[in-house]
Amino acid sequence: TTFSSGIIAYQILGNSLLLFERGWITRTAGTESLAYYVIAMSLGLYLVAFSTSLTLTITPLASEIETDPKRLLVLYERATKFLGIIVTYLCVFLLLSRNIFLSTWIGPEAAIYAGGLLLIHVIAFSMHSLSIISWQMREGLGFPFHNFWIYLIASTINVTALIGLSDDLGTMG
C-alpha cells in the first residue's frame, strides 16, 4: 500500500545514509576516526530512540482524532512540551558533562577525540528528536510519504555537507 511504501522508502534511505556516512568517514579519515564518530553518533541515536519510544502513541492518537483539528493541535502542543522538557534536559546534561561522561564511560582518550563530535551529534539529534512528534502525526494522519520527502531533502543536505566539509574539517565536517 501507499502507506507502507512511504515508511519502507524512508527506512531504506536512512539505512543508506548511515552506511554511506560511515563508509565516507572510513575512506577519508580512517577507521580510528570512525570509531570516535560512532561513539558520539550512537549517543545521539540513543536520544532519538528514547524520544521515539516515549511518543509511540502519537501515531494511533493522531489517526483516531484526525477529523478534530482542535484535538490534534492540543495533542501536538502537549506532546511537544513533554518531549521538549525531556530532550532539553538530556541535551544540556550531555553537553555540559560530555568530557566527564566519555572519560568515565570509555576513557580519557574518547573524551579527547569524541567530545567535539558528541557536541555536534547531541545538538543535531536533539533537534531531530523534537521533530518526531510531527513525524508521527503525519504517519497517523496517513501521510508517511511526506516524511520520506523531508528525509530525502535532509539526506541530500547531509551528504552534500559531508562531502564538502570533510576535507577541511575531518569528522567534524
Side-chain angles (χ1 to χ4, degrees):
T1 67
T2 303
F3 183 83
S4 59
S5 298
I7 294 171
I8 292 167
Y10 73 67
Q11 290 293 332
I12 290 171
L13 184 60
N15 284 304
S16 300
L17 175 63
L18 181 73
L19 293 173
F20 174 79
E21 191 174 56
R22 289 180 179 193
W24 183 265
I25 291 169
T26 300
R27 180 175 169 255
T28 60
T31 54
E32 185 176 347
S33 293
L34 177 66
Y36 293 115
Y37 184 87
V38 168
I39 290 168
M41 185 177 194
S42 294
L43 287 169
L45 289 172
Y46 294 153
L47 181 62
V48 171
F50 178 66
S51 300
T52 301
S53 70
L54 291 176
T55 60
L56 285 174
T57 59
I58 299 295
T59 300
L61 282 173
S63 181
E64 182 180 317
I65 61 174
E66 71 179 304
T67 58
D68 189 346
K70 288 181 184 178
R71 287 181 66 197
L72 282 169
L73 181 60
V74 168
L75 173 63
Y76 175 78
E77 288 174 342
R78 286 184 181 168
T80 302
K81 285 178 189 175
F82 169 74
L83 191 59
I85 290 167
I86 293 170
V87 168
T88 300
Y89 172 78
L90 292 171
C91 178
V92 170
F93 170 77
L94 285 170
L95 292 178
L96 294 177
S97 68
R98 69 183 182 275
N99 291 329
I100 294 168
F101 179 77
L102 288 169
S103 290
T104 304
W105 181 36
I106 299 175
E109 192 173 299
I112 293 167
Y113 295 108
L117 292 166
L118 185 58
L119 174 81
I120 293 168
H121 282 291
V122 165
I123 292 170
F125 283 110
S126 291
M127 290 188 293
H128 179 61
S129 292
L130 294 174
S131 74
I132 289 171
I133 303 296
S134 60
W135 186 280
Q136 289 184 344
M137 287 188 76
R138 280 190 301 278
E139 286 190 2
L141 296 171
F143 300 106
F145 250 98
H146 290 181
N147 293 337
F148 166 75
W149 290 112
I150 290 166
Y151 205 78
L152 180 63
I153 292 166
S155 295
T156 302
I157 293 168
N158 186 321
V159 168
T160 303
L162 180 67
I163 292 169
L165 297 174
S166 61
D167 282 342
D168 294 332
L169 300 174
T171 55
M172 297 294 271

